[in-house]
Amino acid sequence: MRDILVDSDPGLLNLALACRGALAVGLTVTLLVFLTRLTGHPITEFAFGSVFSMVSVFVIRDLTRRARLITFTVLVPTGAVAMVITSFIHAEPLVGETLFLALVFVTTLVGTWHPRAVGMGLIAVVLTYVGLYLQLPPASIPYQLGGLATGAAVVFVVCFFFLPLRPAVILRRATRSVMRRAAAVLRAADRRAAGSATLKREMDRLKRAALAAEDQLVLLDDTSRIDVQMHLFDLEQALRRLVERMPADPHAPADARRRNRIALAATRLHVGRLRRASARIPKASADPFTEDLAALSRAAAKLRAAVARVVPREPVAISTPTGVLAWRAAAQAALASLIAMAGGTALSPQRWFWAVIAVYVVFINARTRGDIIHKGAHRVVGTIAGLFAGMGIAALTKGDVAVECAVMLIAVFGMYYLVAVSYGVAIFCVTVLLGLIYGSFGDAPEPLLMLRLGETVLGVAAAMLTAFFFLPVPTTRQVRVSRLAVLRVLREVVAASVAEPRDGQAVVAAVRRLDRQIVDYRKALLPLTTGRMFPRRAKAERPMTAMFACVDAAHALAGASASVDKAAHDELVRDAALVDQRIAALIGEPADVPAGLLAEAEGRHPARAALTRLDGALAMLAERLDANALRGGAFAFARGGTR
């Protein structure tokens, strides 16, 4: 479990988010209770402040301080408008239901247009839900605004002064995570065969940690960004060369001295003290293993030095490109919400909102019906587990206000921190929190939690039915689109690696695009590979290992191509042209596919050896794919890209 948490949070971003969320909610609720006692009005009239603080902390996560301020500035009036409108229309159920459906449609429609639109939509939908649920009269609007202003003020102070996002600090944390993951790769390589599942898993975790560090580089000046980016890539390549030097057979005779040196290097990497180690290892050695170990030490020391040279500063504002409107998803979400509203009203005329909220949340960032099924199943399972846990905790802590408040804060913290690890676990925390809140109001939590479960099941079922039968987007279609995108970027990596003259920055940028695209490919495959709640989709999953082998070979090619001499470069270009033809055929372009594979030979340059591995992986990928389906996916992708 510890590895999963560390792997999901390389720069401790989720931990910082959870601390901000728990602190903001805790301070807001404390101030709202004080206002309740000061004014004599019920806590429900100030409830919008606590809801705003809970949701807005999730949303205010832009890269720059200026962008975060803009997001915060637009969230406050959005919440105020939703709150005021619901105070006037809650007495007319038909108007409220129509508004809620229209809001779900509009917010889903613009959700893919701009990241800020997702936050505004979430605030609008949740606060509208709270307003229709509480049914507060217009006379209480000043107190509602007071509660909202209190929550907004607390969020502003917490997110911008108490626990702000500091890019340089996050970069240092992410770099330390890269070092620790590199140490884990060394240990795995020392204990396992070169192609073992454990070693591959640790290499994937290292790539994700490196991407987390890369995410912060956009906030640096060009000199610092290039400096850190190149040294980060050098560290990965030095580690790769050292790992490839390990025995391929895990049962090979152990070299005690080599094992001790690997263990020492892994320990120093983990604690970040490779700078001192590199001074004691000669820069040139007749032993290739010693030279590779020295190169790893130097790369780690240079990376740490580059990160230490970074000067914290507010970068130039970065414009975020706008996307296309999600008409299909909006229509699906609106229809599913209508079905959920009808079923939810039959189950409870007062709390049908839970069913519609389940639909709305399930559709957020869902690209295919598999995504909707995956998120819906997690939401139902999390709700069931949270129901029993919430009832148990409420029974154990009944009457003990201090313990109940502590458990609520823990649930809020867990909701923020664990959402990146498991959506179902986050929903578990939310359900436990709701059970304690209802219990603190004097209501029996058991019937309310059972009703919430029923409404959630209704909402998820409506979302799944709509995703299957109304404008469906098959998961396998998105898998094909993501696979083709990986192949296109793979082609760019090969071209940049053999270009003359070689542009190191272009090579690293292409490799990072490949890493990000393979993350998208994994995301597309997630509904087919997680949990095994549904039959295994072997047709979509079969090419996975070949795709990952292609990415691994491309990484090796990008690193080894830096040391190719002129004589070997001509042969490398010729081999790359053959590999390019094979990639073109897989994409669906007209190509003259070579009849055989590139020949393997002892003593050839590592770059040519990497190309040979890539050629073999591409041939294996071609064997595992349905060529007609792949070409059809390529044409569909091309048509979709022109819309």
Side-chain angles (χ1 to χ4, degrees):
M1 186 63 180
R2 177 181 175 276
D3 283 343
I4 295 175
L5 294 176
V6 172
D7 185 35
S8 65
D9 193 18
L12 300 184
L13 288 172
N14 295 330
L15 180 61
L17 172 67
C19 291
R20 279 194 296 273
L23 181 59
V25 172
L27 289 177
T28 301
V29 172
T30 302
L31 290 176
L32 294 182
V33 170
F34 174 76
L35 288 177
T36 299
R37 295 181 178 178
L38 184 66
T39 61
H41 285 260
I43 187 68
T44 53
E45 294 185 1
F46 300 96
F48 286 96
S50 59
V51 176
F52 180 86
S53 66
M54 186 177 297
V55 178
S56 60
V57 173
F58 264 123
V59 175
I60 305 173
R61 301 167 69 179
D62 305 82
L63 287 174
T64 66
R65 179 183 175 86
R66 180 176 180 273
R68 291 193 293 274
L69 282 171
I70 294 174
T71 299
F72 174 79
T73 303
V74 299
L75 290 181
V76 176
T78 300
V81 170
M83 182 185 66
V84 172
I85 290 177
T86 54
S87 296
F88 286 99
I89 68 170
H90 67 78
E92 299 293 335
L94 182 60
V95 177
E97 292 168 4
T98 304
L99 173 67
F100 204 61
L101 282 178
L103 198 57
V104 169
F105 176 83
V106 172
T107 53
T108 306
L109 177 67
V110 301
T112 54
W113 179 67
H114 194 280
R116 194 167 288 133
V118 178
M120 295 175 65
L122 193 59
I123 286 287
V125 169
V126 173
L127 291 191
T128 300
Y129 147 67
V130 173
L132 293 176
Y133 176 74
L134 295 178
Q135 298 184 355
L136 299 174
S140 65
I141 288 179
Y143 300 101
Q144 298 176 42
L145 289 174
L148 182 64
T150 301
V154 170
V155 169
F156 180 79
V157 171
V158 169
C159 292
F160 292 95
F161 293 98
F162 286 177
L163 296 172
L165 285 171
R166 295 188 175 91
V169 175
I170 297 172
L171 177 60
R172 286 195 291 270
R173 291 172 181 166
T175 304
R176 285 198 296 269
S177 179
V178 170
M179 299 288 193
R180 294 189 181 101
R181 294 261 60 99
V185 170
L186 270 184
R187 295 190 185 99
D190 186 39
R191 299 168 185 164
R192 308 282 180 177
S196 70
T198 301
L199 181 55
K200 290 180 180 178
R201 183 168 60 250
E202 293 298 343
M203 290 293 290
D204 288 339
R205 289 174 174 172
L206 172 64
K207 291 177 184 177
R208 285 194 285 271
L211 287 177
E214 286 259 346
D215 288 339
Q216 306 306 314
L217 299 185
V218 70
L219 303 179
L220 307 180
D221 60 275
D222 287 343
T223 302
S224 298
R225 176 179 57 81
I226 294 172
D227 192 25
V228 175
Q229 188 179 51
M230 297 303 293
H231 289 308
L232 185 61
F233 182 74
D234 289 343
L235 174 67
E236 291 182 77
Q237 292 301 319
L239 181 63
R240 177 180 297 277
R241 288 192 296 270
L242 185 60
V243 168
E244 289 176 351
R245 196 78 63 182
M246 304 285 188
D249 183 6
H251 303 293
D255 185 333
R257 183 171 177 270
R258 174 177 291 192
R259 174 157 292 183
N260 290 336
R261 294 173 66 185
I262 293 173
L264 179 61
T267 302
R268 292 184 182 277
L269 268 175
H270 187 84
V271 300
R273 299 189 63 180
L274 262 290
R275 184 195 302 273
R276 187 179 303 173
S278 63
R280 291 196 290 265
I281 300 178
K283 291 189 176 182
S285 173
D287 179 16
F289 175 80
T290 300
E291 171 56 29
D292 288 339
L293 193 60
L296 176 63
S297 300
R298 291 193 296 271
K302 290 178 180 178
L303 175 60
R304 291 186 62 216
V307 172
R309 288 193 295 268
V310 170
V311 178
R313 66 181 66 177
E314 182 67 12
V316 178
I318 302 169
S319 60
T320 303
T322 56
V324 296
L325 297 178
W327 290 101
R328 182 199 298 263
Q332 288 179 320
L335 178 59
S337 297
L338 181 61
I339 297 172
M341 183 182 294
T345 302
L347 192 60
S348 172
Q350 292 78 33
R351 294 182 172 87
W352 55 265
F353 308 101
W354 285 335
V356 181
I357 285 290
V359 170
Y360 174 71
V361 174
V362 163
F363 269 95
I364 292 178
N365 294 329
R367 298 184 293 182
T368 66
R369 62 189 179 194
D371 291 337
I372 292 171
I373 294 172
H374 182 256
K375 289 184 67 177
H378 275 253
R379 188 172 184 89
V380 171
V381 172
T383 302
I384 293 174
L387 183 149
F388 290 106
M391 290 190 298
I393 294 173
L396 292 174
T397 62
K398 191 172 184 178
D400 195 331
V401 178
V403 174
E404 286 183 351
C405 291
V407 175
M408 286 182 190
L409 279 179
I410 293 173
V412 170
F413 181 91
M415 173 187 67
Y416 284 106
Y417 185 69
L418 296 173
V419 69
V421 179
S422 172
Y423 177 70
V425 178
I427 294 299
F428 166 83
C429 295
V430 172
T431 307
V432 170
L433 178 63
L434 289 176
L436 292 173
I437 291 175
Y438 293 140
S440 65
F441 285 162
D443 299 326
E446 292 84 358
L448 285 174
L449 290 177
M450 290 299 296
L451 180 59
R452 172 178 164 78
L453 175 61
E455 297 281 1
T456 298
V457 172
L458 272 174
V460 169
M464 290 182 178
L465 286 173
T466 304
F468 259 95
F469 299 108
F470 180 68
L471 302 176
V473 180
T475 307
T476 51
R477 181 190 301 174
Q478 182 60 46
V479 170
R480 287 194 297 269
V481 169
S482 297
R483 185 192 306 133
L484 288 168
V486 171
L487 289 172
R488 288 187 174 91
V489 182
L490 183 67
R491 199 176 187 181
E492 296 175 8
V493 174
V494 174
S497 299
V498 301
E500 182 64 32
R502 186 179 185 273
D503 185 349
Q505 295 178 31
V507 173
V508 175
V511 169
R512 291 306 179 208
R513 287 196 299 273
L514 179 62
D515 288 341
R516 295 186 190 281
Q517 200 57 57
I518 203 68
V519 169
D520 181 77
Y521 178 62
R522 288 178 183 273
K523 181 180 179 182
L525 282 167
L526 188 62
L528 305 178
T529 58
T530 302
R532 298 296 172 210
M533 299 178 65
F534 300 96
R536 184 181 181 91
R537 301 297 298 273
K539 182 178 178 181
E541 294 182 70
R542 195 177 297 119
M544 283 176 57
T545 54
M547 287 291 295
F548 298 148
C550 290
V551 173
D552 186 67
H555 269 263
L557 171 64
S561 62
S563 59
V564 178
D565 56 26
K566 178 61 178 175
H569 184 266
D570 294 337
E571 296 180 347
L572 187 68
V573 171
R574 185 174 61 252
D575 291 347
L578 298 176
V579 171
D580 183 80
Q581 289 296 306
R582 198 179 293 279
I583 297 176
L586 287 169
I587 292 175
E589 298 178 359
D592 184 13
V593 182
L597 299 178
L598 296 177
E600 297 185 9
E602 292 292 334
R604 63 168 38 190
H605 192 277
R608 293 193 66 195
L611 260 182
T612 302
R613 284 172 48 201
L614 177 58
D615 188 54
L618 289 169
M620 180 172 62
L621 177 62
E623 292 176 357
R624 297 184 177 187
L625 287 174
D626 179 353
N628 292 331
L630 181 62
R631 289 190 174 90
F635 297 146
F637 180 85
R639 289 197 300 269
T642 61
R643 287 185 294 179

